[in-house]
Amino acid sequence: MNSTYLFRVTLLEQLHSGQWQAGDRLPTEREFGEQYQISRSTVRKVLAEMKAQGWIAQTVGSGTYVTDKALVAVPHNKASTGSSPNAGWHTSPAELMEARMALEPAIIEMVIGNATTADFEQMAHCCTRAEAATSVEEFEDWDGMFHEVIARAAHNGFVARLFKLMNQARAQGEWGMLKKRSLTPERRLAYQSEHRALLQAITARDPVQAKALAVEHLVHVRRNLLNY
């Protein structure tokens, strides 16, 4: 892993994990450069990507600050559920699965048309973290984040909010219990393989293959969770 990639994925994880709060000031370009042994121009380029996503804001003469939007990608076990405007809202696993079947393949062309290199790297990072997960809960967090990151790569605010809502629904107890009961080691390996194949098709900007793989994966998940 080269230093630039390490800086990018580490910064993304720090922004989205809640390590910094909205309004916190980030280290300077010089400090980042020294920490990761990369040039200030490289730091500037990565920060520009984060700014374009809306996760940081920069003020001339003042510095770089974390925005509220940076917390969009907090995995559900790290989020503050008590302050969520959707606290108390509930949907069944069957309803959630039906929505996923309809919506996730439908946004593939938008994702392929708008995704950036940084988006592809975030998807790959989610795959890597899911594969390294040591518990069902951690795997489910990164599994859900993979799908949410794909949706964010459409660069459409409405789509991003919709998929964040679906990811919050996955944090509900009924879905979690079904996933925990159904997730055998063999099925987990299959999901990981399906995620990697979907990532490869999206990265290759192949909408036909990506849509087919998205549908295949969701049908597999539905069969394992809901038995149909």
Side-chain angles (χ1 to χ4, degrees):
M1 181 183 294
N2 64 46
S3 298
T4 302
Y5 180 78
L6 177 63
F7 171 56
R8 181 181 286 110
V9 297
T10 302
L11 181 57
L12 282 169
E13 187 170 354
Q14 289 171 333
L15 286 171
H16 297 331
S17 68
Q19 177 173 325
W20 290 307
Q21 299 301 309
D24 283 355
R25 188 175 184 272
L26 298 186
T28 65
E29 291 176 2
R30 179 181 59 78
E31 290 169 336
F32 274 140
E34 291 176 352
Q35 180 179 355
Y36 291 92
Q37 296 297 298
I38 54 179
S39 68
R40 291 183 65 176
S41 63
T42 298
V43 173
R44 206 169 295 125
K45 179 182 178 182
V46 173
L47 293 179
E49 294 173 0
M50 307 300 168
K51 183 178 179 181
Q53 297 279 8
W55 298 329
I56 61 172
Q58 293 177 308
T59 303
V60 177
S62 178
T64 302
Y65 298 88
V66 180
T67 68
D68 290 329
K69 190 177 178 182
L71 300 181
V72 163
V74 176
H76 70 250
N77 69 334
K78 297 179 182 177
S80 175
T81 55
S83 62
S84 170
N86 299 304
W89 170 80
H90 181 270
T91 190
S92 71
E95 287 179 328
L96 176 57
M97 199 70 242
E98 186 177 28
R100 291 186 65 189
M101 292 287 298
L103 296 172
E104 292 191 28
I107 67 165
I108 289 295
E109 288 189 15
M110 193 186 307
V111 171
I112 286 175
N114 296 329
T116 66
T117 299
D119 293 322
F120 298 144
E121 289 175 350
Q122 289 175 58
M123 294 174 204
H125 180 61
C126 290
C127 286
T128 299
R129 292 300 299 268
E131 291 159 1
T134 57
S135 68
V136 172
E137 292 78 13
E138 185 182 4
F139 174 77
E140 175 66 5
D141 281 337
W142 288 105
D143 180 315
M145 190 57 59
F146 173 71
H147 292 279
E148 189 174 329
V149 166
I150 290 175
R152 287 208 312 268
H155 294 281
N156 179 293
F158 181 80
V159 168
R161 288 182 65 85
L162 182 60
F163 275 75
K164 180 172 176 58
L165 184 63
M166 288 202 298
N167 217 11
Q168 288 172 347
R170 292 175 62 151
Q172 296 171 358
E174 193 175 356
W175 176 277
M177 285 188 293
L178 282 174
K179 192 67 174 282
K180 194 167 187 176
R181 289 173 186 166
S182 70
L183 191 65
T184 64
E186 294 76 18
R187 287 173 177 174
R188 175 173 165 174
L189 288 173
Y191 292 158
Q192 291 171 183
S193 177
E194 289 164 5
H195 281 181
R196 286 289 183 180
L198 178 57
L199 170 59
Q200 184 176 3
I202 291 174
T203 305
R205 301 191 189 273
D206 183 339
V208 175
Q209 179 72 354
K211 278 186 179 181
L213 289 169
V215 171
E216 180 182 346
H217 172 63
L218 291 169
V219 168
H220 191 188
V221 172
R222 183 181 64 184
R223 182 170 63 249
N224 289 338
L225 262 66
L226 304 173
N227 297 316
Y228 70 89

